[in-house]
Amino acid sequence: MISFKKLIIHRLRMPLKYPFANSSTTIIEKDIIITELHDQDGFIGYGESVAFDSPWYTEETTDTVQFMMEHHLWPLIKKQQINHPTELKLDNIRRNHMAKTAIEGAVWDLYAKRSQQPLYQAIGGTTNQIPVGAAIGLQSTDEQLIEKIAQALEQGYQRIKLKIKPENDLHTLEKVRSHYPTTPLMVDANSAYTINDIAHLKKMDPYNLMMIEQPLASDDFIDHAKLQQEMNTPICLDESIHTLADVQTAIALNSCKIISIKLAKVGGFNNAIKIHDYCQEHNIPVWCGGMLEAGVGRAQSLALATLPNFTLPADPGASNRYWHQDIITPEVEVHNGYVTLPKESGIGYDLNLPTTDQKVLT
């Protein structure tokens, strides 16, 4: 039986190696929360909130995450005793999935350490080898974009994901395909289009894309279904997917052919596993999207990607693609297009946290 004795909330700011731009914002540093959860026997589990400091991506921010953990989630879980992380009860708090993931991820890490198994095995993963792709933000020139792609391919990444926006999307695809006619390529629109852009979006079909990720609004399942009916390119839903019910709606309406599962956006491993299993039953491939995670969130997202229906390359790649120095030792590395997760118990990495703001809850 596990009971929880202490939660330490670490908060730090990490500058990105390079600005990361999509159709709506540019990120130059990340406000990060790391959770450190202690049990009655001295085991420690770690989690991470991948929320941003403003609500451009979801309604949650690092401030709301910290508030929810201090005032609602910690008071809730410190009363609980569990044998397994699936017994953790968070459902009477609505939404706040990134805050829940920061807690639930620490519970899973703690449980895996107690049971002396790697996290990926604890959740049901079957391999510690994860194929990964590179996500490349909007660049100021074509030359910079081609250079970024060349660097990623030289580093062994198995797929290139490009951020796009309506002003230059077809030009970008033409340039990239002229240099890399057969490279596995997908695009991510971050909801930059509307259903009125059907004729324009159909012009992407000849570029042989693996998928177009989230072209329309996050709550627009019906228009995504209309668009998918008109396009040959598979639509992947990302921002639309927060719950198993969202997945069931998307599949019932034929709104997409692929789904991106982001651990923090769906509320943690328990929900992510249910979504994975449902997609597998309905022959919908899934892949693991990235959220500019630091080391803890990166390790946990990659552990999720070891489940068998994650058949497409994952977003979270090497730490040094994003950070001057990550908070884990060793850092996540990519070799020949794969990340190999460590076989030590829990997330398998040691933490090297810088001096941070801390809040200790007992």
Side-chain angles (χ1 to χ4, degrees):
M1 188 71 72
I2 307 171
S3 57
F4 308 111
K5 295 304 180 185
K6 180 169 65 174
L7 177 68
I8 303 176
I9 300 172
H10 301 268
R11 192 154 174 181
L12 58 147
R13 298 193 76 86
M14 290 176 60
L16 285 161
K17 253 188 175 178
Y18 310 103
F20 192 84
N22 64 19
S23 61
S24 63
T25 193
T26 298
I27 303 160
I28 58 174
E29 67 175 1
K30 189 88 185 286
D31 188 10
I32 289 170
I33 291 175
I34 301 295
T35 53
E36 177 183 329
L37 182 63
H38 295 242
D39 73 2
Q40 79 278 14
D41 297 319
F43 287 92
I44 301 173
Y46 294 96
E48 178 177 333
S49 163
V50 300
F52 297 95
D53 55 9
S54 65
W56 67 268
Y57 182 73
T58 70
E59 64 273 19
E60 287 183 88
T61 69
T62 41
D63 286 336
T64 68
V65 165
Q66 181 159 353
F67 181 90
M68 290 301 300
M69 288 195 292
E70 287 185 27
H71 297 281
H72 298 283
L73 289 166
W74 173 242
L76 181 64
I77 73 160
K78 73 177 182 179
K79 300 174 185 176
Q80 299 183 35
Q81 290 187 323
I82 63 170
N83 290 304
H84 192 272
T86 54
E87 299 171 8
L88 194 68
K89 302 298 182 186
L90 304 176
D91 290 347
N92 60 342
I93 294 175
R94 293 193 179 187
R95 304 290 282 202
N96 290 284
H97 286 171
M98 292 183 179
K100 289 178 179 177
T101 301
I103 295 289
E104 196 228 47
V107 173
W108 272 100
D109 183 36
L110 190 154
Y111 168 79
K113 289 171 179 170
R114 287 181 63 99
S115 58
Q116 297 184 330
Q117 58 183 325
L119 177 61
Y120 72 89
Q121 287 184 356
I123 67 165
T126 55
T127 177
N128 69 334
Q129 301 278 316
I130 305 106
V132 291
I136 297 176
L138 294 167
Q139 304 295 311
S140 56
T141 68
D142 294 338
E143 291 74 22
Q144 287 179 353
L145 177 60
I146 298 303
E147 181 182 356
K148 292 281 188 183
I149 294 172
Q151 291 171 352
L153 294 176
E154 287 169 7
Q155 293 163 0
Y157 286 92
Q158 298 189 29
R159 172 269 294 153
I160 300 296
K161 179 169 87 168
L162 302 177
K163 297 289 186 177
I164 58 169
K165 58 182 180 180
E167 292 82 1
N168 67 345
D169 50 7
L170 297 177
H171 169 82
T172 296
L173 288 174
E174 186 64 33
K175 283 289 183 182
V176 171
R177 274 295 181 229
S178 68
H179 283 79
Y180 302 104
T182 60
T183 296
L185 183 67
M186 58 181 283
V187 294
D188 184 4
N190 295 113
S191 301
Y193 301 85
T194 73
I195 196 62
N196 296 325
D197 295 312
I198 281 184
H200 178 79
L201 289 165
K202 287 173 67 175
K203 294 177 182 177
M204 296 184 190
D205 280 340
Y207 293 99
N208 189 29
L209 301 175
M210 297 172 67
M211 68 189 86
I212 177 171
E213 185 180 350
Q214 199 68 44
L216 310 181
S218 61
D219 56 356
D220 209 339
F221 291 99
I222 291 175
D223 281 349
H224 273 112
K226 292 176 184 176
L227 178 60
Q228 184 64 92
Q229 192 173 20
E230 295 288 330
M231 289 191 75
N232 295 325
T233 302
I235 289 173
C236 169
L237 291 185
D238 171 17
E239 284 93 331
S240 297
I241 304 303
H242 297 267
T243 65
L244 177 60
D246 291 335
V247 173
Q248 291 169 331
T249 299
I251 293 175
L253 293 175
N254 296 312
S255 301
C256 63
K257 295 180 180 178
I258 300 169
I259 282 176
S260 167
I261 303 178
K262 288 181 175 171
L263 182 65
K265 190 157 56 59
V266 302
F269 285 104
N270 292 334
N271 291 338
I273 292 167
K274 291 174 185 175
I275 290 171
H276 165 275
D277 293 350
Y278 188 87
C279 289
Q280 188 171 34
E281 291 167 9
H282 289 81
N283 299 310
I284 300 292
V286 300
W287 61 285
C288 179
M291 292 281 294
L292 297 177
E293 303 93 342
V296 175
R298 188 168 301 271
Q300 293 183 339
S301 290
L302 288 165
L304 178 67
T306 66
L307 296 175
N309 195 41
F310 282 91
T311 56
L312 299 165
D315 257 357
S319 298
N320 65 12
R321 265 189 68 79
Y322 303 94
W323 309 113
H324 297 284
Q325 182 176 350
D326 207 342
I327 59 172
I328 56 171
T329 305
E331 295 191 348
V332 174
E333 296 181 344
V334 173
H335 296 287
N336 298 318
Y338 287 84
V339 170
T340 301
L341 291 179
K343 294 185 177 180
E344 286 79 12
S345 62
I347 61 172
Y349 298 91
D350 294 324
L351 257 69
N352 182 27
L353 287 173
T355 303
T356 62
D357 292 331
Q358 293 185 15
K359 187 72 177 267
V360 179
L361 306 175
T362 58

